[in-house]
Amino acid sequence: MEINDLTPAESRLWRAFASGTDVDFRAAAPSAADPSGADSDDPAHGRAWGPGRTVRASVLRSLLLDGPREDGRVAALSLTGARVTGQLDLQYAAVDHPVRLRHCHFDEAPRFYGARLRELNLSESVLPGLISHAVRVEGVLRLTRARFSGTVRLAGAEITGSLYLESTRIETPDTEWPVLQLNQAVLGADLWAPGLRAGGEVRLTGARVAGTVNLNDSVLEGPGGTAVQAETLAAEADVLLRRADVRGRLELRGARIPGRLDLSHARLANAGNTALRASSCVIGELWLREGPAVQGALNLRRAQVDVLFLQPEVVPAWVQLNDLAYTSLIPHEPAERRLPMLEKGDSYLPFTYEQLTAAYRRIGDDDAARLVQLAKQRRRRRTLPWYGRLWGHLQDIAVGYGFRPLRAGGWLLSLLAVGSVVYGLHHPPPLKPEEAPGFNPVFYTLDLLLPVISFGQENAFSPKGGYQTLSYVLVITGWILATTVITGLTRTVSRQ
């Protein structure tokens, strides 16, 4: 491009490029729409900017590919507050200069497909989209507070530093494609996007982030569908969504997060469908706390979590916990507050009760552990045929499946008192009066109740009528109590 073909604004930028000097057009000239200049610096009104702050994309391309150099200086494209007309097409280009196009208005979406860049900064700019599949940035990519009215395509991008998306807005009405595409992207540091607002799906499938994924305070909207698609995401540190508002499914199946997946104070809403799917994940710490109850299903099947920070108030009406393994469950809550979570699935899952029992035992709360095991037996009972349920009810009433052994003692003492009073008032006649020992109503009742021990009373006396019926009841009850006690104690010992 010849220097004579440039406008005054482009000539100024051309001269500044060789030394890397910043060219700032803000408030340089009032726009036709606003002669006072009051709104002239907002890139959203960039189409009204006149020739004094307009630069053609072809000029930017010529500068980056074959611009002037100045000995002893680092050439750089540093432009602020300009309108860029035409498409900045650097597809497959190798650019060794920093590219800083801040607070600019782009008429067309820039194209960096397959390009190799030193640094790219589009912060606070307004763009109709960004086409940057498979781009390689040997530094950082900054899109801080940028506003997009089209898709941001960074699938397969390789960024050796961080990707910054703080307070960035992506609004693409009537699109079926993900509005932010970072699938298979590789980041050498952080994905830093607190305050991001995306009006559609954010895709992170297969992305690898060497640092932290920060989506705190973000608003991610995919109502009726997927808000965040992050299957097999690999983050070397934390994934933060504190105070995030996720409207749609948060999909994390197969993700690897050795640090913390922090959903504290977050709002997860996908009514009638899955709100959070973190199945088959490996997570260091999963925090679901201090927020409203999840609206939609919570799917943690086959996940492995070291520390599960889960408050009962956050748990939704439908959970899937098949084969969820966790080492520690916090905060410490009574078993009565944790057990409803295990009842919200679609079937009886013994493993979920065993995991909760183990968590209580690790912190020494044996009473809560026994209560969970008792709840497990009661839940299992509902899956049995009628005769199994009947036997289960007898074990539950008698000794609480062995986890309430003192209950058997209470039954025995009650029956002993009844038998002792009845037979004390009406002595049964002896079978052989000349050989019978002296009648003792207490030991006679014990002889009926205890199936093994004999005090010589039962075989020496024979009650009649209703008293004989009472003796049968005491014998049968004694055998039931003995059997349930032995069964329950055997189960308890085996669990220890």
Side-chain angles (χ1 to χ4, degrees):
M1 177 171 288
E2 297 293 334
I3 191 70
N4 295 331
D5 296 333
L6 303 179
T7 66
E10 293 168 346
S11 296
R12 179 183 170 189
L13 179 62
W14 193 277
R15 291 190 300 269
F17 175 82
S19 60
T21 303
D22 181 50
V23 175
D24 191 346
F25 287 140
R26 287 178 294 183
S31 66
D34 183 21
S36 68
D39 288 330
S40 61
D41 283 339
D42 186 352
H45 304 140
R47 285 190 178 273
W49 293 344
R53 54 191 308 182
T54 299
V55 177
R56 290 170 292 172
S58 57
V59 174
L60 301 182
R61 174 183 168 86
S62 297
L63 278 172
L64 292 172
L65 298 182
D66 194 25
R69 305 291 190 272
E70 184 175 320
D71 292 339
R73 305 295 293 272
V74 177
L77 177 59
S78 185
L79 177 61
T80 305
R83 176 189 178 187
V84 179
T85 59
Q87 185 177 59
L88 178 56
D89 189 349
L90 291 170
Q91 184 170 238
Y92 299 116
V95 179
D96 293 327
H97 315 293
V99 180
R100 306 185 188 102
L101 298 169
R102 295 163 295 189
H103 217 277
C104 292
H105 177 94
F106 288 80
D107 286 358
E108 297 183 36
R111 180 184 295 271
F112 300 109
Y113 182 91
R116 181 177 61 81
L117 307 174
R118 180 71 64 185
E119 175 193 347
L120 180 59
N121 188 341
L122 300 174
S123 296
E124 300 179 290
S125 294
V126 172
L127 308 94
L130 181 63
I131 304 169
S132 297
H133 302 74
V135 67
R136 175 178 173 82
V137 181
E138 297 176 354
V140 299
L141 173 54
R142 294 185 183 274
L143 302 174
T144 302
R145 292 182 295 279
R147 285 169 282 176
F148 294 91
S149 58
T151 302
V152 178
R153 301 176 182 176
L154 288 164
E158 185 175 350
I159 304 169
T160 61
S162 296
L163 170 59
Y164 293 96
L165 289 160
E166 306 105 303
S167 302
T168 298
R169 298 174 64 94
I170 308 173
E171 302 290 343
T172 56
D174 303 325
T175 181
E176 298 180 358
W177 297 96
V179 298
L180 175 57
Q181 300 174 14
L182 280 165
N183 42 301
Q184 310 304 325
V186 178
L187 276 62
D190 301 322
L191 171 55
W192 205 256
L196 171 69
R197 187 177 186 107
E201 179 183 321
V202 174
R203 180 164 293 180
L204 291 164
T205 304
R208 290 183 291 162
V209 181
T212 295
V213 177
N214 185 342
L215 291 166
N216 290 337
D217 302 294
S218 58
V219 179
L220 310 171
E221 301 177 278
T226 301
V228 180
Q229 179 67 263
E231 290 184 292
T232 65
L233 168 68
E236 296 299 325
D238 302 326
V239 175
L240 309 176
L241 288 111
R242 296 174 65 90
R243 299 174 300 278
D245 187 357
V246 183
R247 306 169 191 174
R249 184 171 69 223
L250 176 54
E251 178 65 71
L252 290 165
R253 183 176 64 88
R256 297 295 182 266
I257 306 170
R260 184 172 77 252
L261 173 57
D262 192 347
L263 293 160
S264 302
H265 308 277
R267 178 179 180 268
L268 306 180
N270 194 23
N273 211 320
T274 299
L276 171 61
R277 184 184 185 190
S279 57
S280 303
C281 290
V282 177
I283 303 172
E285 299 182 15
L286 172 55
W287 289 19
L288 266 170
R289 65 184 190 97
E290 302 295 339
V294 175
Q295 299 177 36
L298 174 62
N299 185 341
L300 299 176
R301 293 186 298 177
R302 299 180 300 278
Q304 299 179 35
V305 183
D306 288 337
V307 178
L308 180 58
F309 197 142
L310 181 62
Q311 289 183 325
E313 296 83 2
V314 180
V315 178
W318 186 262
V319 295
Q320 295 175 289
L321 304 175
N322 317 36
D323 298 319
L324 167 65
Y326 51 88
T327 303
S328 177
L329 179 62
I330 55 177
H332 179 60
E333 297 276 1
E336 293 85 353
R337 282 175 51 79
R338 293 292 186 189
L339 284 170
M341 176 178 66
L342 309 186
E343 298 284 340
K344 294 178 179 180
D346 55 356
S347 61
Y348 165 59
L349 301 171
F351 183 77
T352 61
Y353 291 89
E354 294 301 323
Q355 280 289 293
L356 185 55
T357 299
Y360 278 123
R361 283 178 177 159
R362 271 190 288 269
I363 60 175
D365 193 344
D366 292 331
D367 290 338
R370 284 192 292 270
L371 188 58
V372 174
Q373 285 295 302
L374 176 58
K376 173 190 173 185
Q377 295 300 325
R378 289 172 175 169
R379 179 70 176 84
R380 174 179 175 273
R381 186 172 67 209
R382 300 205 294 267
T383 68
L384 300 176
W386 69 267
Y387 49 86
R389 293 196 298 274
L390 177 61
W391 177 239
H393 279 295
L394 288 174
Q395 291 188 76
D396 196 357
I397 294 171
V399 291
Y401 285 97
F403 300 105
R404 301 282 176 80
L406 293 180
R407 187 179 293 178
W411 281 108
L412 286 172
L413 289 175
S414 300
L415 293 173
L416 178 61
V418 171
S420 298
V421 170
V422 171
Y423 291 121
L425 295 174
H426 301 85
H427 292 192
L431 291 174
K432 297 179 180 180
E434 66 280 359
E435 299 179 4
F439 180 76
N440 187 308
V442 175
F443 284 96
Y444 179 74
T445 305
L446 283 174
D447 252 356
L448 296 174
L449 285 172
L450 303 179
V452 177
I453 301 175
S454 176
F455 295 100
Q457 295 279 313
E458 180 183 2
N459 296 327
F461 299 92
S462 178
K464 304 297 183 182
Y467 301 103
Q468 186 177 32
T469 302
L470 176 60
S471 69
Y472 293 156
V473 171
L474 292 174
V475 170
I476 293 172
T477 305
W479 274 103
I480 291 175
L481 284 173
T483 304
T484 54
V485 167
I486 292 172
T487 302
L489 291 177
T490 301
R491 183 183 297 113
T492 303
V493 171
S494 67
R495 292 298 178 195
Q496 300 296 332

